[in-house]
Amino acid sequence: MRDYILRVPADMDLSQRTPLKNAVAALFGDRYEAGRPRYLFSPDPLVMDGPWVRVRACIGAAPEVARGLVAEAATPMLDAGRKIEAAAWVAMKARVFRKESDLKDRVLAGLARYRDVFAPAVDLADYSVDPDIGIARMERGRERFGRAYGRISFSGTITNEPALMALLTAGIGAAKAYGFGLVSIMNREDDLD
């Protein structure tokens, strides 16, 4: 697993996910290989300023065509016992076609349930869901639709490295092909306490 930083145009509207998906695919190619995701990508949920996205090569490394256009990002140490901070933009499975009065409550409740996804891999010290949600616009063929999404963040101590690695390479939630589900992770500065 390797993480890269890919610069995107500063004026790119990241709520319109199809252009972002196409920009990443132009460099990294098909997202799947033998049924496994080759890469995940997302506007970085830990470092949100700057016109760039994080691309995680789950299989192999960045292809030759992408070299020079991407920079390799630091890879955190994932040994059991290490303290980490992490965050992810997570999209909901249900599509949104119109404004729904209870949408925010449903999305926040759905995001809160992702705490259980990390429990087998991390002894969580803190888990939070940002109160703001968004609607990402997507296209598939002639169909246009939206998906609600939000940001989760957590900190804790790694207890099961293989389980955490599986989450980092598979991603979480829906719409991974549109830039959701990548769990951005970094070691905590107090790791050596």
Side-chain angles (χ1 to χ4, degrees):
M1 177 185 87
R2 293 183 180 172
D3 280 8
Y4 299 90
I5 294 168
L6 168 64
R7 292 210 172 272
V8 296
D11 60 349
M12 180 178 276
D13 179 1
L14 296 181
S15 70
Q16 301 293 326
R17 288 303 174 117
T18 303
L20 179 58
K21 171 187 171 186
N22 293 341
V24 174
L27 293 176
F28 282 80
D30 292 336
R31 215 179 80 72
Y32 289 95
E33 181 178 299
R36 292 177 55 207
R38 290 181 56 243
Y39 60 86
L40 297 166
F41 66 96
S42 177
D44 194 289
L46 283 176
V47 186
M48 289 185 286
D49 55 340
W52 54 275
V53 297
R54 181 177 294 266
V55 181
R56 175 165 297 145
C58 303
I59 300 174
E64 196 63 39
V65 68
R67 302 221 172 112
L69 299 173
V70 298
E72 192 159 355
T75 302
M77 302 292 286
L78 300 177
D79 309 328
R82 291 225 180 239
K83 295 177 184 177
I84 57 168
E85 292 179 355
W89 294 110
V90 182
M92 300 291 101
K93 187 173 182 180
R95 295 180 179 185
V96 177
F97 292 96
R98 65 190 188 293
K99 188 167 179 72
E100 301 170 35
S101 59
D102 65 340
L103 179 65
K104 183 172 183 176
D105 292 340
R106 286 189 292 125
V107 170
L108 294 178
L111 292 170
R113 287 192 290 272
Y114 277 93
R115 178 186 188 100
D116 296 338
V117 170
F118 296 100
V122 179
D123 179 15
L124 295 172
D126 180 57
Y127 181 90
S128 62
V129 176
D130 281 9
D132 297 325
I133 67 166
I135 305 292
R137 302 293 170 205
M138 305 172 192
E139 298 174 20
R140 183 173 291 144
R142 293 183 177 181
E143 186 180 16
R144 294 180 181 195
F145 56 94
R147 284 194 199 273
Y149 69 92
R151 180 179 180 268
I152 62 167
S153 58
F154 63 91
S155 63
T157 304
I158 299 171
T159 56
N160 186 329
E161 181 184 345
L164 181 58
M165 185 62 77
L167 286 169
L168 295 179
T169 55
I172 61 172
K176 295 180 197 104
Y178 291 88
F180 292 99
L182 182 147
V183 180
S184 183
I185 191 166
M186 64 184 181
N187 294 119
R188 294 220 343 217
E189 291 181 6
D190 61 351
D191 191 37
L192 299 177
D193 290 354

